[in-house]
Amino acid sequence: MSLRDLISAEAELADESDEESYDEETGEVRRKSNGLNGTNGHLDDSSDEETDDDEEAARAVREGFIVEDEEEPEERERKRTERKKRRREEREEEEAGLDEEDLDLIGEANPDFERRIPSEPKFKRLKRGHKEERVEREPRGVDDIFDSDDEDEALQEDRHRAAPRGVDNEFKDFIEEDDFGDEGLEADNEDAEVARTVRRGLVGVKDSAGLDETALEDLKEAFGDGAEYDWALDLQEQDDRDERGIDHEDTTGMSKAIELKDVFEPSQLAERMLTDEDNLIRITDEPERFQIARKPYKHLVLTDEQFKEESIWISNMMLPKKQLQADLREPFQKSIAKVLEFMITDEYEVPFIFQHRKDYLIHAAKVAITPDPWNPGAAQYVVSAEKLLNQSDLWEIFDYDLKFRALIDKRNALQRTYDNLVSVANVHDEVFEEMLPAAVTMEELQDVQDYLHFQHSSRLADLAIVNGPGTNGTQRRPGASKVVFDRIRNGKVYGLVRAFGITADAFAQNALKKEGRREYTEDPGERPEDMANSEDVLDPPDYSSGAQCLRAARAMFAEEVAMSPKMRKVMRQAFYQNGVIDCFRTEKGLRKIDEQHPYYEFKYLRNQELGQLAPHPELFLRMLKAEEEGLVEVRVRLQHSDQIKKRLYGDLESDNFSEVADAWNRERREALDMALVKLDKIMARGVKENMKTECENQVARVCREEFGKKLDQAPYKPKGMMLGTVPRVLALSNGAGTLGRDPVNWAWVEEDGRVFENGKFLNLTVADPERGIEEDGADVSAFVELVIRRRPDVIGVSGFSADTRKLYKQIERIVEKKDLRGAPYTNEDDQDVSDRLEVVIVNDEVARLYQSSDRANMEHPGFAPLTKYCVALAKYLQNPMKEYASLGKNITSISFDPSQQYVPQEKILKQLETAMVDMVNLCGVDINEAVNDTYTANLLPFVCGLGPRKASQLLKAIILNGGIVSTRAELVGDADQHKLPAVGPRVWNNCASFLWIDFDATDAESDYLDNTRVHPEDYDLGRKMAADALELDEEDIQAEQQENGPGAIVRKLIKDDAQEKVNDLILEEYAEQLERNFNQRKRATLETIRAELQQPYEELRRNFALLSTDEIFTMFTGETRDSLCEGMIVPMSIKRVADDSIEGKLDCGVEGIVPPNDISTRMDVSAKQLFSPHQTVQAKLMSLNRKSLTAELSLLEEQLRRPYRKEIDRMGDEWDEKQEQKDKESMQEKNDVSGRTQRVIKHPLFRSFNSAQAEEYLGSQSRGDVVIRPSSRGLDHLAVTWKVSDSVYQHIDVLELDKENEFSVGKVLKIGGRFTYSDLDELIVNHVKAMARKVDELMLHEKYQAGSKADTERWLTTYTEANPKRSVYAFCIDPKNAGYFHLCFKAGQRAQVQSWFVKVIPGAYDLKGVQYQDTTALCNGFKLLFLNLQGDKTRP
């Protein structure tokens, strides 16, 4: 069996055999039987008797033969008994038949018995999809219209009434063979012959009917023998063969094997990685990540010259960032060349190069030192080592390699196009030949391509006709402008272009100042106007006047300058050196970006140099996001453009002094101005796009670094244990609940990840007389008993609210008061001790995703979501890396940087994958553990050389080989031991050292080095070092190896516990000898071997990182330092009012207190008279304690009048203050003209918005969220805007009555003259929220359609076409009339689609003036209304 044979031809997709379908109207699950019973594939006819009775009775009622319930009970019971007896006899007769297993047993007992060849395969898989047969039913009455229950019953009746038409028909399009061998197909054809309708006329009629020969002849003369219908039966047989995929001319019944792609959707195959391309990746002996990344360039083979060019190209790209000393630049370039050789020639991935070729990433030099006269034998030099490349640099080189391949691919395509031009049109273009090899970026190559298509557009068009369109991938359709320029180039007017005295290329050469060359401009003898009017230039009818010719010449020369690759290079350099970015607000941005808006930071930003934005990539990305939303316009312009233009004039103009020269110089300047306008646009667009790409890359790299920090933490280290020991964890959480009122869920997780116990605690308050708590809470004893019994190594706590910190403190107090301790351990004094249990707050970013995931439901189906959350917390403490790896692509849901949202998800995912690859290969993977543990198997795709496809293939091969890997060598296969190859040699070279196998001293085949980071290629070095450490001579080594195998020396080193002896070895001499004799640099490798011989796969990650105060604050409150800080005005809900203080809580859960001096300036009024509990007020945040989650606030009016404004340090010319002031005055004028006075109401939902701003604000909020805002109808009105659905907002006018003054809120609030409320909170709860609940109820109803009204009507039409006798209705939202729904219905196939409005009112629905309390009453009321309407139409 080869590696290819391991690739399954079956798609392991969601159990197709147990298919489920869903009723279109009720949503109930209908499970389809596969029609097979047992293992022999017999048809299942043992359905439930009572069900059959019900079917037959229902059929009789439908056919009108009997009246239900009129038959006597005794008669029904007698018939049921007869049917049961008949079915039992049929089953016994069937069971009496011999199946294949019975025949096999007979064959064993009787050697002469000829055993039947078993059919292949024995089992068949059901294929999704079916053809529903439509059965005519009796017409339904008006009473039954739109009745869902009747519809469901009718569907059930139709299914029971559909009688089988033979085996082949019943399972047509469902059964698919697992294996399509010749014998299987022949068996299928035989089955088809048996199942096909008999075509032999009246054969058998005589026997069955008892007719004699004469009667039979008379019967044939009267009715025929059936042969006249053979043509129809032949067609039927041909159709059957077509449907079964058998060739018409294939007399043997052989057909083409059905593949997975013939059965499953391409999206399903792609999702499961079962496409042909995926299988090719599996069997190709090349690292999977290399195959995927280099797929677009598989056809590209780099020459030796291009390989050298690549190393120089990458060095030039990376050197500016590395900032190395001058003497290290040459070693740096050589190091990059060597890395490229490893990647391209040897096909080594980054982790392998970093781990096993580390010496090539370091520059080591011997530095002479002054001799010591007192120590003649001392070293004469020291080795100075400089690290040239780190692991991130290697990934960058890999990316640059892909970019260089793209560069070479495009360059080759352009060269082929030019070669075709030379061969066909005899073209010779010096500019192209010079600039193509000099192009080192895709931009410069694009310049060359644009030049080629501009200069030779007509010839390329002819070439496309000869060779076909899209020649070499660079052919483009010429635009109208190019046709015009071709006409000028080929006409007389071009003589006027030549009269400019210098070519565009020569002018660009002057601008470049390359190698000091200077092309001089020559002036013609005539003035431009005179030459343009000469017969040598005029070219009627297009250019019949001198002015036309002169304009055309200027445009032509300007276009040549703009298309010149050299000129573009000049301008690009100028833009990158002197370019600045300005930000201008749009009219939309003027209204929407106020001082509290996050985009206000750059609303009037000016003169930002590109270098200034480089350290702040998030700022530029936010600017581009605002531009995408139409709020600002980001412009790139050239600073000091007048000076640059003046210098370019000097490079273009002639030095002559005459009227003719002056006239021509004016023409040249005018043409250059035209060219610069076009070049500015091209350059600005290119610079802007490059800036965006670079900023995205920077943010993505920051995310990689942050993710690397999260991965670089070992499991929580229990006290007294080695780093890397997995702890036993007790995890608790109160979720978002209130401590003391809501339960605290907990889970106990062993070190192997199994969850042994879980439960809930309600009251964990520990007795504290000082705080007035006299006795322990009800669950404290249970908690203490759990800890003592289970002896956890650590207690983890986390949750979704600020109350979780209270839980954390509560657990800490219990541990302290009850003196709870962890497992005992032996200290340095060889004494058994135990320390007090540590309680830690755990990062829950993985747990939040896990608790509601499909993975959690599959692993712990019976657990509550919060318990699953606790399980994930515990596993995070046990191994953070495994938890992150288990997220897969969902890892991008975690925020690593605030600007992450502005970067494409694919780019973020790519960088995060590299971080995971680095850390997984640093830690290695126990391959035998990965076979049995899913969490460990999740790490395999990140192992060097592997990927998701090769990892699954590796596991499959190991399972086929017995499920255990004894040595690394057997992964490439072992024919003697019948071991299949799990990976190819190249992939094995990459992954071998990162897959480790536990050393078993009792197993003679177990090799200690297989348990280390040492690569098999260096095993001999490890054995040599072990022998030298044991001071064995050659004879001893040979004797030991002959007796115990090649690993005997290392085994002896371990057995003698002599690992520390390797520290006495002088590795420098080893390294010099290897480099001198074998040209191998192994100094760092020898150090790795020495370390691994002493501690195999030592934990190299850092200690488990406890969360910082800011991280805990953000996790519990959702706020950051930017979103919540001192000086901000925030809503506070008052919890308790005392005479000298007020206690409350912010929306984020932070508890706040208002001291006496910050309550009011009125000394004659107490706080209780001004404020009351449960009141929400606006307060200014004076101080914030992020550790204790408490704040101090002020309610003073003077404090509230000073809003918070973020201070930004700007230079004088970086902010357009004049425009800012002008805009403020303009907005003030608009407010004055409208006569509106801005109202400020103390309510957390109040915003000074207009309707558009309110809709924009609610756009990102949840359905049902509300904004209270000023009304344009006057000071006695308020407007309430609430979000009905996405892009649907209802604006409610609120009339205020009984107002104390014009600025206060009325004591009586009326809506529409029908609804009256006493305050805003009552209005929100009893009006808006009541309607929101009704909207949710209707949108969750089974009859609701999520699309538009037109989509709903199309669905109704399609449904009635498929079910002509049925009537159907559905609801959909009306986006034009917020708060309204359409009730669309169609009473049969030929009826028109109609719709009625359903209005949502507080607590009910209004249909045709009638109110209904819920959706059930609404549906029933609609049916009654429709019935009455139909009745009115039928009355005379």
Side-chain angles (χ1 to χ4, degrees), residues 41-288:
H42 299 308
L43 295 178
D44 189 355
D45 63 351
S46 59
S47 56
D48 188 82
E49 287 83 4
E50 282 78 11
T51 304
D52 294 328
D53 296 342
D54 294 342
E55 292 170 10
E56 293 181 13
R59 187 180 301 113
V61 170
R62 285 197 304 273
E63 294 173 355
F65 297 129
I66 63 174
V67 179
E68 197 171 9
D69 292 335
E70 290 184 3
E71 193 174 33
E72 293 295 326
E74 294 81 6
E75 182 68 12
R76 287 202 302 273
E77 183 64 26
R78 185 184 62 81
K79 290 183 178 181
R80 182 179 294 111
T81 303
E82 290 177 357
R83 281 194 297 271
K84 288 183 178 181
K85 181 179 180 181
R86 184 170 62 253
R87 289 183 181 278
R88 184 164 54 250
E89 291 173 352
E90 290 173 356
R91 284 198 302 271
E92 291 173 355
E93 183 180 4
E94 179 182 353
E95 291 171 357
L98 298 179
D99 60 11
E100 290 182 12
E101 295 180 0
D102 295 330
L103 294 175
D104 290 342
L105 290 174
I106 293 173
E108 291 177 4
N110 182 8
D112 296 331
F113 179 78
E114 183 175 351
R115 191 175 295 184
R116 187 179 65 172
I117 298 175
S119 60
E120 287 189 18
K122 192 174 182 181
F123 298 98
K124 298 183 178 181
R125 182 172 65 249
L126 289 187
K127 173 181 171 184
R128 189 176 298 276
H130 64 281
K131 296 181 180 179
E132 296 183 357
E133 295 192 40
R134 301 176 182 173
V135 183
E136 292 294 330
R137 291 195 294 269
E138 292 296 324
R140 305 173 66 194
V142 129
D143 293 342
D144 300 327
I145 197 166
F146 306 123
D147 194 330
S148 301
D149 296 334
D150 291 350
E151 291 170 5
D152 296 342
E153 292 171 8
L155 288 174
Q156 294 293 333
E157 291 171 2
D158 289 350
R159 281 198 294 272
H160 291 308
R161 280 169 54 183
R165 204 176 49 142
V167 176
D168 185 65
N169 259 348
E170 182 173 355
F171 291 98
K172 188 161 84 73
D173 287 339
F174 283 87
I175 297 178
E176 174 183 311
E177 298 290 347
D178 286 337
D179 184 22
F180 302 98
D182 296 350
E183 297 175 356
L185 287 171
E186 290 176 1
D188 279 354
N189 292 336
E190 292 173 3
D191 292 343
E193 288 294 334
V194 173
R196 191 177 300 116
T197 307
V198 178
R199 306 179 42 183
R200 292 176 176 81
L202 298 175
V203 176
V205 174
K206 173 183 175 183
D207 297 334
S208 61
L211 300 178
D212 57 14
E213 295 291 341
T214 304
L216 186 60
E217 288 296 330
D218 294 340
L219 187 63
K220 288 183 179 180
E221 290 180 4
F223 298 102
D225 61 357
E228 61 270 23
Y229 299 107
D230 279 355
W231 62 272
L233 296 174
D234 288 337
L235 289 177
Q236 178 65 38
E237 181 178 354
Q238 181 176 330
D239 290 342
D240 292 343
R241 294 172 67 89
D242 288 342
E243 291 176 354
R244 298 172 60 243
I246 301 178
D247 191 352
H248 302 300
E249 300 179 0
D250 185 4
T251 57
T252 65
M254 295 298 295
S255 65
K256 182 181 178 181
I258 300 178
E259 300 179 1
L260 289 175
K261 60 185 178 182
D262 301 324
V263 180
F264 300 104
E265 292 292 333
S267 59
Q268 289 179 298
L269 295 178
E271 181 183 358
R272 301 283 179 165
M273 296 183 182
L274 292 171
T275 64
D276 293 340
E277 183 180 343
D278 293 319
N279 293 334
L280 182 61
I281 292 174
R282 284 186 179 90
I283 65 176
T284 303
D285 188 20
E286 180 184 353
E288 183 170 327

Side-chain angles (χ1 to χ4, degrees), residues 1037-1072:
I1037 295 174
Q1038 290 180 3
E1040 190 73 29
Q1041 290 181 341
Q1042 287 176 0
E1043 182 178 355
N1044 298 314
I1049 305 301
V1050 178
R1051 183 186 289 265
K1052 179 177 176 58
L1053 181 76
I1054 305 305
K1055 183 178 180 181
D1056 295 348
D1057 198 17
Q1059 295 98 313
E1060 291 187 0
K1061 291 184 178 181
V1062 297
N1063 291 327
D1064 300 332
L1065 300 176
I1066 303 175
L1067 300 184
E1068 193 64 39
E1069 295 179 0
Y1070 276 77
E1072 290 179 357

